[in-house]
Amino acid sequence: MRQLQRTEEIRDSMLREKREEAAGGFTRREFLREGLRAAVLVGGLPGALSVLGAGCAREQSGLRPELVRGSLRVGLDADVPTLDPAMHRSRTVEAVVRNMCDGLVARDAQMNYVPQLAVSWRVEDETRWIFKLREGVRFHTGEPFAAEDVKFTLDRIIGAIDGLEQSPRKSLLGPVVGTEVIDEHTVAIVTEGPYPILHKKLVFQEVCPKAYFERVGAEEFGRRPVGAGPFRLVEWRPGERIVLERFEDYYGGAPEIPPAGPAELEGVIFRPLEEAATRLASLEAGEVEVAVSVPPDQADRIDGLPEARVSVAQGTKTHFVGLNCTRKPFSDRRVREAMRYAVDPKPIMEQFLLGRARALPGILVPMAFGYDSSLPAPRQDTARARELLREAGHGDGLSVTLDCEAADKRIAEAIAGSMQAAGVRAEVRVTKKDNLLNQLRRQERDMFLTSWGNSSLDPSGILPVLFRSDGYSNFFGYRSPRVDRLLDEADRAMEPEVRRQKYVEIQRALHEDIPTCFHFALEELYGVSTRVLDFEARPDGMLPMHDVALRAQV
Amino acid sequence: MWGRFVTRRLIQLIPVLLGVSFIVFFTMHLTPGDPIEHMLGQAGHVTQEQIEELRGHYGLDRPLVVQYGLFVGNAARGDFGLSYSHHGRAVASVVRERLPATLELTLFAFVMALVFAIPAGVIASLRPQGVFDRGATIGALLGISMPGFWLGIVLMIVFGLQRNWLPISGRIDLAVVPPARTGLYTLDALLSGNGAAFWSALKHMVLPGLAMAAPMAAMVMRMVRSSMIGVLAQDYVQFARAKGLPERTVVGKHALRNALIPTVNIVALQTGLLLSGNMIIETVFQYPGLGKLAVDAIGAADYPLVQAVVLIYAVSYVLLNVGADALHAVLDPRVRVA
Amino acid sequence: MSQAASEEEALESVAATTPGMVRLLLGNRVAVVAGVVVLAFLAMGLLAPALAPYEPSEQHAEAIRVAPFWQAGGGTRFLLGTDGLGRDLLSRIMYGARVSILLGVVVVLLTLVVGAGLGMVAGYFGGWFDAVMSRVVDTLLAFPFLIFALAIMAATGPNLVALVLALAFKGWVDFYRVARGDVLAAREADYVTAARGLGASTPHILMSEILPNILPPLIVLATLRMATIIIAEASLSFLGIGVPPRIPAWGTMVADGRADVASAWWIATLPGIAILLLVLAVNLFGEGLRDALDPRMRK
């Protein structure tokens, strides 16, 4: 409450300043009018404009022309609702915020884990990790980074601070129950039970400065966040642009990801361009230098342009067709197996997605920890599918609805088209993404095309939430005591080899039970101007701009 | 007399706005879809307790009638509550951010429509069934019959993609420093003498502006034309001609002024339609204005935001009509008597 | 001036008889051509299963984004080319005519009946009903139609019943106003007074005496409204919340082609031309109809 008041005081004083400025501007306006008249008489319109320019120079926004010229411009595929690192579950927000706010741990381009604001860590006992923090790091406000900030950041996410809204990122920290400040540059993170992947999970949390947050309050922090990252926020016009400029006092970032030191670029400007067509047109027109998520069918064309190329990374998100195991017709395993053989992956991967996707045997992508490469590759077998359907009492074919969100409509229609050969008449129904997710969580849909991202590349980021009996996104009503037990065992196994074995067993169980079929992963495709140096697409969809450079415009 | 005329019309506005708010409030709240679920989206594990807490935070736990009463009372003071889809920010501030963009584009389309329509209507009326008249009539028919979203896409393909002449998205080039004062970029650029920014902002409005202006230009052109034809046949115009006044004066001074009187109302009506068209056009061109905000808010079941935007549209529609009637009264004293 | 008046009178007397109206309409070449185009679209929609070269949802994985025949890469197999899923655009456009025309007709009839009915009652009886209705009408006029339709459709998801209701929500107001105004004028007309004097019942007067006299302007309005409805339906389908995706609709097709505008312009453009042609023809026909049925309304 007191905090709120303080925020309002600050806002009031800012308003006062603005008003005073406006009042001072009155006489200036009169001066301008006279000057303008004279200038028009003498020098015509250009002269008049320059007089106006001189008069108003002081009132321009904080954007320096050099900054805007020397900035890399990025076309994003989604709008950004907040810039608060703790208050979103959006990859786009994370990609933007990561440039402003560093975390304890980061990943390099090959997805190796490296210390960032931490220097090192060790596991003291199964439920207690000690992190040594980097010294001499400053936030954009000039205040030093210290253990209190780490504690504040993590406490806010796990909901240990009263009076703040619950962070939607809590579940990303799993069983973390608290943080202790040991000294100014050492913290201990305490978990409930063993949590072998804590350091991997810390990649998704950026450190926020406690003092600044308490000064401005949660709402203002979401609009003007401060961090210890390579860029700092200059201006955010929602729906239009987010302008970042180089933070000159940057400590240099993770030493394992050279080069160190402040960023090369003057700044970065992010612009939401949700429509793929507009995003690509802006890239072609030179209005942005990087366009996020190029549709597969546009990739070759963009790559063929003289002024741009396509940068490719293996995706970490799996698309799949989910089947509701709790009710007819898919409560019958034979019908689910028929679905496995109903779709022909080849034309869909090669023709519709132009080879920019690959069909997978299961829900995990090959890069993921514990991926089981022994499962058979998906293929179509219409005779087998028809036979299975006949056995299950659907001799004259099966009519079902295939639900999906708007973005997946085309692929869903391709899948439905492919199923016809196996006697499956699937009708595609498009629902708003959020509505669909809720319907799926209530297990109200029979067959659906959806996707689940797992940029942690650890099975714990995707298997429990989808396939545990009490999994929050168990869309399938899938219940297997054995899988539940294996998931628990994997969670507690501090030994990587043991964990790997557990996850392999789980994948085989899922292959046997078929709650999902027709898995595939799309490539991450980025359209990149040839002016951009050292930008490469990453599997996790992050856009770290620290090491990127921009060739001057010709 | 005038004041009373306007006051009376403004008082009539109140029941209309109550009606609009009533309809929008109850349709939004009675249709399926829980805003809290939307808000939580992919948020991971959430307990029932947290859901109830959020419900309380946004006042959704009270009886619907009470919610409506609060909504009307607060809205009258300009407080539209908190936006669900904007991280709990005040709706009023979210709307304020987007309003200038829409205002600027709408004004631009409005001016563009009139700049095309009035001269075209006048020229066409001078020689009914002449070449220009036929051309303009066909153009007008096309203008009314084209779906706006399609025209937008075609303009985009032809002028933005096949020839890289005009920008197809956004409000201003990212490489131009936008001055920040009124939020209307062209005006701000002029005020600060930033020629490059002015030019860039103007260029960004051409394609969406054209797509928005087309149907209005068509309707206004037809109205001007037919009303000019009527006026030109009037005795006093013939008399002016007979007096030997130059045709320019006859048309420009005597006829046009009278011909524009009936046009005022259709301009107001069409401007109202212009506003409702901006949702589609802003979506097509990714223009960060109120229309796109509304489409996004509806998708996110953001009741407070949708309610506010609907009310803004309704108020501007009613005010436009009051303004048109007032203007009509100025131009044509007979209206006031009647 | 006097010449114009007499011409108008002459027109009116000709139009007073039904054969006269038809003759007038047939004399208007533009209207005739427009009517033929509308009929052609109607036939195309009705006969689509017989005429269309392919099933509208049939996918050809080997023929994705094929250009129309006049473009390089196009051919006779798919005359108007294919979309991003290899579906034949010509067949889809033919099938698309069905839903556009069907919805147009259903919505216009619904709004005509509701609007004209309420308008006649309000105009004939006046009183509190008229007063209440005029408030309702004022409110609806100020109501931004598209947002409302969007809100309903977003909540219910794409389905035809909700779509009809969303489109009809405000559409009846125009009919209401015309019917009310005309009835108000007709109430005191000689033929009505005479019928009343002869002891005719109120329903009889409304349906048998007044309705035939106020019908022509309503029919003209209905035709012109149909054009608006077709565009509104296409707009909602374009935003993905109109016609369900399994039914081929022109607005959906334009939206499907949006992602391909840079590489395959025809996918978004051609269905839009179909909308344009149909709406243009409906508008021209409506204007011809107005000239024939109701000379007073001519500008």
Side-chain angles (χ1 to χ4, degrees), chain A residues 53 68 237 240 274 435 441 472, chain B residues 38 41 44 170 174 185 192 286:
Chain A
V68 182
R237 296 194 184 195
E240 254 180 87
E274 286 121 302
N435 294 2
R441 287 200 178 115
Y472 179 59
Chain B
H38 276 274
L174 288 179
Y185 284 174
S192 62
Q286 304 279 296

Side-chain angles (χ1 to χ4, degrees), chain C:
Chain C
M1 179 85 197
S2 60
Q3 198 189 336
S6 70
E7 190 186 48
E8 206 165 87
E9 268 163 35
L11 275 169
E12 214 162 337
S13 65
V14 174
T17 61
T18 311
M21 288 182 209
V22 175
R23 220 176 26 247
L24 252 180
L25 185 61
L26 288 180
N28 182 339
R29 250 183 305 155
V30 178
V32 170
V33 172
V36 170
V37 172
V38 174
L39 284 180
F41 268 100
L42 188 64
M44 189 171 93
L46 288 176
L47 301 178
L51 290 177
Y54 299 92
E55 278 289 303
S57 57
E58 189 180 341
Q59 301 170 4
H60 305 88
E62 74 294 347
I64 289 173
R65 282 181 276 271
V66 171
F69 70 88
W70 65 87
Q71 285 255 313
T76 50
R77 188 170 159 219
F78 303 101
L79 279 179
L80 296 185
T82 62
D83 69 4
L85 283 168
R87 295 176 297 197
D88 180 43
L89 277 181
L90 176 62
S91 305
R92 290 180 70 72
I93 288 175
M94 286 179 153
Y95 273 90
R98 302 181 132 200
V99 79
S100 273
I101 296 175
L102 178 77
L103 278 171
V105 170
V106 169
V107 171
V108 164
L109 283 181
L110 184 67
T111 50
L112 172 68
V113 170
V114 171
L118 291 173
M120 284 171 72
V121 172
Y124 194 80
F125 296 105
W128 65 267
F129 182 75
D130 190 26
V132 170
M133 286 306 291
S134 75
R135 282 285 90 89
V136 173
V137 164
D138 279 351
T139 304
L140 285 181
L141 280 178
F143 209 89
F145 152 74
L146 203 59
I147 301 193
F148 183 75
L150 275 173
I152 295 192
M153 295 310 296
T156 61
N159 79 77
L160 290 180
V161 177
L163 184 57
V164 167
L165 293 180
L167 291 171
F169 168 71
K170 199 178 159 182
W172 59 273
V173 170
D174 293 334
F175 294 103
Y176 170 88
R177 298 214 298 177
V178 170
R180 179 182 171 276
D182 284 3
V183 169
L184 214 52
R187 195 168 58 174
E188 306 306 329
D190 293 343
Y191 66 92
V192 174
T193 330
R196 220 179 278 135
L198 289 170
S201 68
T202 309
H204 177 84
I205 293 178
L206 275 176
M207 297 311 290
S208 305
E209 304 291 339
I210 297 184
L211 185 60
N213 278 289
I214 64 166
L215 205 51
L218 288 175
I219 291 176
V220 170
L221 183 61
T223 319
L224 296 175
R225 285 289 309 170
M226 174 138 170
T228 322
I229 297 294
I230 292 173
I231 290 192
E233 173 268 307
S235 303
L236 290 177
S237 298
F238 171 77
L239 290 174
I241 49 177
V243 176
R246 76 191 132 88
I247 305 174
W250 294 335
T252 321
M253 295 169 69
V254 174
D256 282 347
R258 256 181 98 189
D260 299 318
V261 282
S263 53
W265 57 268
W266 55 90
I267 303 176
T269 312
L270 296 180
I273 291 179
I275 306 177
L276 172 61
L277 281 179
L278 176 59
V279 172
L280 188 63
V282 171
N283 271 328
L284 283 171
F285 183 73
E287 288 182 5
L289 206 59
R290 177 170 62 199
D291 292 349
L293 286 182
D294 191 12
R296 283 165 306 153
M297 280 176 73
R298 297 213 305 171
K299 300 263 162 67

Side-chain angles (χ1 to χ4, degrees), chain A residues 406-424:
Chain A
D408 294 333
K409 181 180 171 227
R410 194 181 276 185
I411 306 175
E413 286 179 332
I415 292 173
S418 180
M419 284 178 163
Q420 278 175 351
V424 180

Side-chain angles (χ1 to χ4, degrees), chain A residues 182-250:
Chain A
I182 293 177
D183 63 45
E184 213 186 323
H185 300 291
T186 318
V187 291
I189 300 178
V190 183
T191 61
E192 188 183 24
Y195 193 41
I197 52 167
L198 174 62
H199 63 293
K200 295 187 181 179
K201 290 296 195 174
L202 285 174
V203 163
F204 303 111
Q205 312 299 349
E206 296 82 29
V207 175
C208 304
K210 179 171 190 249
Y212 175 77
F213 185 96
E214 289 179 346
R215 244 184 351 257
V216 301
E219 192 185 336
E220 179 67 11
F221 189 79
R223 242 177 298 173
R224 302 202 55 82
V226 157
F231 295 93
R232 64 194 230 176
L233 182 70
V234 178
E235 182 192 48
W236 175 25
R237 296 194 184 195
E240 254 180 87
R241 59 168 73 179
I242 300 163
V243 183
L244 311 185
E245 71 175 349
R246 176 171 56 213
F247 177 42
E248 301 293 351
D249 295 331
Y250 186 54

Side-chain angles (χ1 to χ4, degrees), chain A residues 343-357 411-419 518 520, chain C residues 59 61:
Chain A
V343 191
D344 189 358
K346 211 170 131 97
I348 295 180
M349 297 306 126
E350 286 169 17
Q351 258 104 31
F352 291 121
L353 299 171
L354 290 118
R356 299 295 187 171
I411 306 175
E413 286 179 332
I415 292 173
S418 180
M419 284 178 163
F518 198 70
F520 61 96
Chain C
Q59 301 170 4

